Amino acid sequence: MTYRTAVGALALIVGHGAVAAETHGTHEHGHAVLKLVQEGAEVVVHFQSPLDSIVGFEHEPENDEQRTALDEAMRTVQVAENIVRLPAVCTLDGEPEVNVPYLGDNDGDDHDKADEHSDTAHAEHESTEDGHDHDTDEHADVHADLEAAFKYRCEDGIEWLEATALATFGGLEEVELQAVGSDATVVETLTPASPRAALTGF
């Protein structure tokens, strides 16, 4: 079972059902979601953000600069503290699982998360009725999410969580925290000015 799958599975185990419903749309630029699920000493954290908020675009890379940006994003999100910080009682347990769209060496799933909602394929942009292509809209309906998941062992209560991704990525304006523990649930919106949440009851 992957860490990302464990987020949903552990939520069921602890009796809270699915992790708290997201209050924003599933894909909103500038908005990321951070999910934490605790069962005993085991904690799984899952981070999901529109790729645009991380590297400035969501379509397939078109030049070396964009390919380099994706490579740098991969290296950055593989370091847990660039995404989230937990108290010292929590230690990483195993390697992170990371998915950066359009990279073939992702950990976990190899398929990208790009989701094209247009009626035509991205590679075959249709002309308008007057015969002119709308090149400026070529990537308008392409959506892709970056994901990272981390597993921790926490030998004592988790008093707080800090969404360090807000400092790491300038394109993020807020992170929606959804935390589920054995006896508590926390849903809170974190911002660059207030990136830390108290996890009372965890």
Side-chain angles (χ1 to χ4, degrees), residues 59-156:
H59 53 79
E60 292 189 28
E62 298 174 339
N63 51 51
D64 289 342
E65 181 179 359
Q66 291 182 347
R67 282 185 284 272
T68 297
L70 292 177
D71 289 336
E72 290 179 351
M74 170 66 82
R75 289 192 293 270
T76 298
V77 298
Q78 285 179 328
V79 179
E81 287 202 351
N82 289 333
I83 305 300
V84 62
R85 183 175 295 123
L86 299 176
V89 296
C90 298
T91 57
L92 281 169
D93 183 12
E95 296 296 319
E97 291 186 358
V98 176
N99 184 80
V100 178
Y102 313 118
L103 292 184
D105 57 350
N106 286 306
D107 296 328
D109 299 331
D110 286 334
H111 64 281
D112 65 57
K113 298 293 183 182
D115 181 14
E116 299 184 19
H117 298 295
S118 59
D119 294 331
T120 58
H122 170 66
E124 298 178 357
H125 183 66
E126 282 189 340
S127 299
T128 60
E129 292 182 0
D130 60 7
H132 297 291
D133 290 338
H134 284 221
D135 293 334
T136 56
D137 296 332
E138 182 178 359
H139 304 301
D141 294 324
V142 179
H143 299 296
D145 287 343
L146 176 149
E147 295 183 74
F150 311 94
K151 183 178 178 183
Y152 296 85
R153 293 287 299 179
C154 299
E155 300 304 331
D156 204 349

Side-chain angles (χ1 to χ4, degrees), residues 14 36-40 42-44 154 156-158 180-182 201-202:
V14 299
L36 178 149
V37 178
Q38 177 196 35
E39 186 196 14
E42 182 175 348
V43 173
V44 176
C154 299
D156 204 349
I158 312 172
V180 177
S182 299
F202 283 74

